[in-house]
Amino acid sequence: EDKVVQSPLSLVVHEGDTVTLNCSYEVTNFRSLLWYKQEKKAPTFLFMLTSSGIEKKSGRLSSILDKKELFSILNITATQTGDSAIYLCAVEALTPGTYKYIFGTGTRLKVLA
Amino acid sequence: DTEVTQTPKHLVMGMTNKKSLKCEQHMGHRAMYWYKQKAKKPPELMFVYSYEKLSINESVPSRFSPECPNSSLLNLHLHALQPEDSALYLCASSQESGDPNYGYTFGSGTRLTVV
């Protein structure tokens, strides 16, 4: 059965700290891994990763994929209170005729002022 | 237009009502999805439409009936729902070719309450 596991489930840090969020997966026919940030409503896209070892960066956020060990990490440096959210990892898996996304349970991050 | 638009934003319905959720995108995406999200849980896939054809139904009860009238629209028809169906219903779309720069796009959701 395809599964995506995120850790930790929740995390509380202070502003300025650096955090690392983990996502491991077991899926057949892996195609890509995506990170989303969810605050009050719909998830907001952060990164899509398809190749191992290539870091993607956006401001204070960065992410990398290891397709051999089947995991990805999302780093946030110099955290701010606005980073408080649930961070979702989703893996895109090919199924006959189409593809679908399997979400992890998310990591709930709270950044204290 | 780079958005997925969902209507209504909020819906309260009785267990005997029939209602529909609507989703629209004009990005030329050929795959569209319905997700259900309960509080403090990740989104759960319900249906996938690929090129206007239903390609995945994740064993969703028949009281939820999806419809894809054309490549820009996706509906979810609701009938005889139960209180436990109360949730945030998210629509999403993606390019079939999987553009690596954009992932896929969610709508802001319809918050459904069944009374």
Side-chain angles (χ1 to χ4, degrees):
Chain A
E1 184 186 343
D2 295 337
K3 64 179 179 180
V4 177
V5 178
Q6 290 185 247
S7 63
L9 289 180
S10 65
L11 191 56
V12 180
V13 300
H14 289 90
E15 272 192 320
D17 289 350
T18 293
V19 297
T20 299
L21 310 183
N22 302 289
C23 175
S24 63
Y25 61 91
E26 290 179 34
V27 301
T28 51
N29 297 316
F30 172 90
R31 181 167 165 172
S32 66
L33 184 145
L34 301 96
W35 283 98
Y36 287 84
K37 177 183 181 182
Q38 185 169 23
E39 295 172 271
K40 295 201 173 165
K41 279 250 182 156
T44 304
F45 172 74
L46 296 175
F47 300 109
M48 176 185 268
L49 304 162
T50 54
S51 302
S52 268
I54 298 173
E55 186 182 51
K56 291 214 171 180
K57 291 195 70 150
S58 177
R60 296 177 293 103
L61 276 66
S62 64
S63 184
I64 197 161
L65 174 67
D66 186 327
K67 289 168 73 173
K68 183 179 176 187
E69 300 297 329
L70 308 183
F71 76 92
S72 173
I73 59 172
L74 174 68
N75 279 321
I76 309 175
T77 58
T79 51
Q80 301 171 357
T81 55
D83 296 326
S84 297
I86 296 170
Y87 289 84
L88 291 168
C89 170
V91 173
E92 181 187 5
L94 284 169
T95 65
T98 187
Y99 53 94
K100 66 176 183 180
Y101 296 83
I102 304 127
F103 282 87
T105 51
T107 292
R108 186 177 295 271
L109 174 65
K110 187 171 180 65
V111 181
L112 303 175
Chain B
D1 188 352
T2 58
E3 291 186 346
V4 173
T5 303
Q6 287 188 245
T7 55
K9 293 195 184 308
H10 300 274
L11 178 63
V12 179
M13 60 185 291
M15 289 189 281
T16 58
N17 291 159
K18 282 186 182 181
K19 296 285 184 184
S20 296
L21 309 185
K22 296 186 184 302
C23 174
E24 189 168 1
Q25 57 87 16
H26 297 285
M27 295 176 281
H29 289 176
R30 302 316 298 264
M32 295 184 77
Y33 311 77
W34 280 115
Y35 282 86
K36 173 182 178 180
Q37 188 174 25
K38 302 283 278 185
K40 299 185 180 181
K41 298 282 187 183
E44 294 177 5
L45 183 64
M46 299 174 72
F47 303 104
V48 179
Y49 272 82
S50 180
Y51 289 87
E52 300 160 51
K53 288 184 169 37
L54 182 65
S55 59
I56 293 180
N57 176 343
E58 291 286 341
S59 301
V60 179
S62 59
R63 57 185 184 269
F64 295 92
S65 174
E67 179 197 18
C68 189
N70 60 57
S71 60
S72 299
L73 293 174
L74 185 66
N75 298 322
L76 186 63
H77 303 297
L78 314 172
H79 173 55
L81 295 193
Q82 304 297 310
E84 59 264 29
D85 296 322
S86 298
L88 181 68
Y89 287 83
L90 293 165
C91 175
S93 70
S94 67
Q95 295 184 28
E96 193 70 17
S97 61
D99 188 312
N101 293 316
Y102 294 100
Y104 74 145
T105 306
F106 280 93
S108 57
T110 294
R111 187 160 299 282
L112 174 68
T113 303
V114 182
V115 297

